[in-house]
Amino acid sequence: MALRLFDSLSRELRELKPAHPDGVFRFYTCGPTVYAPAHIGNFRTFVVNDVLRRLLELELGRDKVKHVRNVTDVDDKTIKRAREERRPLWEVTREWTDKFHADCAALNCLPPHVEPAATEHIREQVDMIEVLMRKGNAYRAADGSVYFKVSSFDHYGRLSRVKERELQASSALAGKVHAADADEKEDVSDFALWKAWKPEDGDVQWPGPEATSGRPGWHIECSAMSKKHLGDTIDLHTGGVDLLFPHHENEIAQSECCNGATFARHWYHSEFLLVDGKKMSKSLGNLYTLDDLVAKGFSPMALRYALLTGHPRKQLNFTLDSLHAAESALATLRAYRATLPAAGGAPDAFSTVFENLHDDLNTPAALGAFFSIVNRGSGGIDAAAFDRVIFALGLKLDAPVPVKVQAPAAVNAIAERRWAAKQIKDFATADALRNELTAAGWSMLDRKDGYSLEPLKK
Ligand code: AMP
Ligand code: ZN
């Protein structure tokens, strides 16, 4: 059963297969920037990629997939955080890398086979920059920074379809923000490969191209690390949609000019997670980490399940209610699993589930097909076939079930009164009671036939 996936470059569904004669599928995912906890939007991208990795392993064999996901441990944000906290950069990035690993494990994401860190691959990045300079694709600016000359690469803009004019406009806009950078460049659309040391970088510096000290630009790290660990041409490169431009466009330009070979044969971008219909942001108070949800009494597995209920190429609106639904779906699966014999069922009992997963990673349709089989009963099904689906989706049914935080009696009483007021459409009273609940530190989630109470985030 071929695994077909949308390719952002050709804009069509294409079958995933390894190009290398050794049959190993080379798969690169842009990883996290480690200066704070990853939020549940980041985890949508990583969970979707984890399902992809699992399907590839089922399809090609466990030893025929090589998955690389980097850690961005030096950039403007990480340096700024270290400076604010007056800590060494490595200490800050180590802390958040460890936290990221713990969250990934709780969400049952398989660790990548190689997880290279940008600061451990400075030499490889400098080597690529020096090749680009020699070939005339890069130039040194007055302050010692090195820029990629966008006009030297004819295919620039093919992935994101940015036209020359738009590129100028968007770069000019970015130029305003980074006025210092813009001054040094020959053209506003050029981007930094190497950033010369500035006093605010403190002790963050390495010897760079032609021995100028500084640090690498963000884009070059992925080009250098995928080259080192997967070779010049990879089978699949993935990330969230926000990386399509300029990050992935720039990766293509650097890698193809340096290596003289196609960089990635297939590009896949998953869509954003919204929360309550809006972009997640600290100022809106709708930015959740995994810990925030666990503190509210939800299990990491419920988050994983909820993240899979939307088509990965469509925006998904996250609500706390979707976690309640996810917990009960997991409970249904757990109970169903307990009724199954170990063997003796039809091996292809869940073929409709896999058909949907293989059709552009349609996880909501796959879950629909899964539940239509589960709801029919356990006749003809064995645990081995069921567990194959559970493995593909990466669900862990034996993970501990959370103990819900119970609201105190006084809070329950206000909620009861509010629910009653809503039933008789006395919205003024209902709103006033909601304010009382908020003041007491609780939020009330209304559903069609009832409500639930959640402790508010601190
Ligand atoms: P970062 O740590 O910012 O480099 O992001 C890590 C990954 O998360 C990237 O692939 C981003 O595209 C992705 N990402 C960031 N925000 C969201 C979001 N709200 N929904 C889904 N993916 C996201
Ligand atoms: Zn990247």
Side-chain angles (χ1 to χ4, degrees):
M1 206 191 305
L3 176 46
R4 280 152 42 96
L5 193 68
F6 187 80
D7 170 20
S8 316
L9 184 61
S10 65
R11 294 211 173 159
E12 54 189 28
L13 282 177
R14 288 178 50 229
E15 194 178 323
L16 291 177
K17 26 181 197 214
H20 201 276
D22 65 8
V24 173
F25 190 88
R26 290 154 165 80
F27 175 15
Y28 187 94
T29 304
C30 289
T33 309
V34 281
Y35 67 104
H39 56 62
I40 60 173
N42 301 134
F43 282 117
R44 179 184 196 199
T45 297
F46 296 126
V47 163
V48 163
N49 275 275
D50 186 57
V51 175
L52 195 50
R53 151 92 182 266
R54 288 163 179 271
L55 290 172
L56 285 163
E57 283 192 7
L58 285 172
E59 180 77 4
L60 304 169
R62 269 194 70 189
D63 56 342
K64 292 291 180 198
V65 181
K66 187 169 177 191
H67 186 202
V68 176
R69 188 185 64 212
N70 68 300
V71 171
T72 299
D73 61 350
V74 58
D75 76 331
D76 294 346
K77 288 181 282 196
T78 46
I79 292 175
K80 183 162 172 268
R81 181 58 52 95
R83 204 174 56 230
E84 285 165 359
E85 296 182 355
R86 296 170 193 278
R87 294 163 72 196
L89 179 69
W90 65 265
E91 196 183 291
V92 172
T93 57
R94 169 100 323 255
E95 175 186 342
W96 294 114
T97 304
D98 289 349
K99 179 61 183 145
F100 177 70
H101 288 160
D103 287 354
C104 282
L107 287 167
N108 203 29
C109 290
L110 296 170
H113 299 99
V114 188
E115 194 174 34
T119 57
E120 285 162 17
H121 293 74
I122 301 291
R123 186 66 247 160
E124 288 80 356
Q125 297 175 73
V126 172
D127 286 348
M128 277 188 97
I129 297 170
E130 287 179 343
V131 171
L132 290 168
M133 289 170 83
R134 270 204 305 280
K135 287 188 164 181
N137 300 105
Y139 59 90
R140 185 182 286 287
D143 72 341
S145 295
V146 179
Y147 291 94
F148 184 90
K149 194 180 178 64
V150 165
S151 64
S152 73
F153 181 55
D154 286 346
H155 297 313
Y156 196 86
R158 247 174 67 185
L159 177 69
S160 55
R161 315 303 210 250
V162 283
K163 305 244 165 47
E164 191 66 20
R165 231 158 23 100
E166 297 167 23
L167 188 62
Q168 299 275 343
S170 72
S171 306
L173 215 67
K176 269 192 202 135
V177 184
H178 302 289
D181 274 8
D183 287 346
E184 309 288 346
K185 300 194 248 185
E186 287 174 8
D187 188 290
V188 281
S189 51
D190 294 349
F191 59 89
L193 295 168
W194 186 259
K195 298 187 169 193
W197 181 85
K198 296 191 291 294
E200 58 264 42
D201 292 341
D203 61 357
V204 179
Q205 56 173 311
W206 292 268
E210 298 167 353
T212 321
S213 65
R215 60 185 166 102
W218 170 39
H219 313 296
I220 193 73
E221 75 176 83
C222 290
S223 283
M225 296 193 286
S226 74
K227 179 180 169 72
K228 165 136 191 222
H229 297 286
L230 295 171
D232 288 354
T233 300
I234 59 180
D235 295 305
L236 174 65
H237 192 126
T238 66
V241 271
D242 58 323
L243 300 187
L244 202 136
F245 182 83
H247 185 51
H248 289 163
E249 198 72 75
N250 293 353
E251 281 186 36
I252 295 175
Q254 300 158 158
S255 293
E256 300 201 349
C257 289
C258 175
N259 305 330
T262 300
F263 177 43
R265 298 172 53 246
H266 201 122
W267 287 90
Y268 179 71
H269 294 95
S270 43
E271 257 295 348
F272 259 39
L273 184 75
L274 305 180
V275 172
D276 297 329
K278 298 188 196 82
K279 196 176 153 100
M280 239 184 302
S281 82
K282 281 221 176 75
S283 57
L284 289 173
N286 67 351
L287 190 145
Y288 292 111
T289 63
L290 181 60
D291 281 356
D292 293 332
L293 301 179
V294 169
K296 287 178 180 295
F298 296 107
S299 64
M301 252 332 93
L303 174 63
R304 182 171 177 117
Y305 187 98
L307 293 175
L308 294 176
T309 58
H311 193 295
R313 287 200 303 107
K314 297 204 178 98
Q315 290 189 339
L316 173 64
N317 187 30
F318 173 83
T319 59
L320 289 177
D321 233 6
S322 69
L323 292 182
H324 289 288
E327 296 285 14
S328 75
L330 290 170
T332 302
L333 294 177
R334 223 173 273 124
Y336 179 80
R337 171 70 170 74
T339 67
L340 298 178
D348 60 350
F350 294 101
S351 60
T352 51
V353 178
F354 284 100
E355 278 160 23
N356 282 299
L357 289 173
H358 284 214
D359 178 18
D360 198 23
L361 212 63
N362 192 340
T363 52
L367 287 172
F370 194 28
F371 271 87
S372 75
I373 298 165
V374 166
N375 291 335
R376 276 205 300 269
S378 53
I381 311 271
D382 63 28
F386 178 87
D387 288 349
R388 214 172 122 83
V389 177
I390 293 296
F391 171 82
L393 297 170
L395 299 173
K396 230 169 117 54
L397 296 182
D398 51 4
V401 182
V403 184
K404 256 218 46 94
V405 187
Q406 292 298 333
V411 170
N412 276 321
I414 306 172
E416 276 301 311
R417 280 164 52 211
R418 183 175 167 273
W419 182 253
K422 246 194 94 179
Q423 298 312 299
I424 56 166
K425 301 201 170 2
D426 178 0
F427 296 116
T429 305
D431 286 348
L433 290 166
R434 179 182 283 288
N435 291 340
E436 279 187 40
L437 286 169
T438 308
W442 290 82
S443 91
M444 183 163 164
L445 302 174
D446 297 339
R447 282 193 295 271
K448 266 199 291 285
D449 49 358
Y451 63 87
S452 59
L453 287 165
E454 304 292 345
L456 283 171
K457 282 177 47 160
K458 279 184 267 329

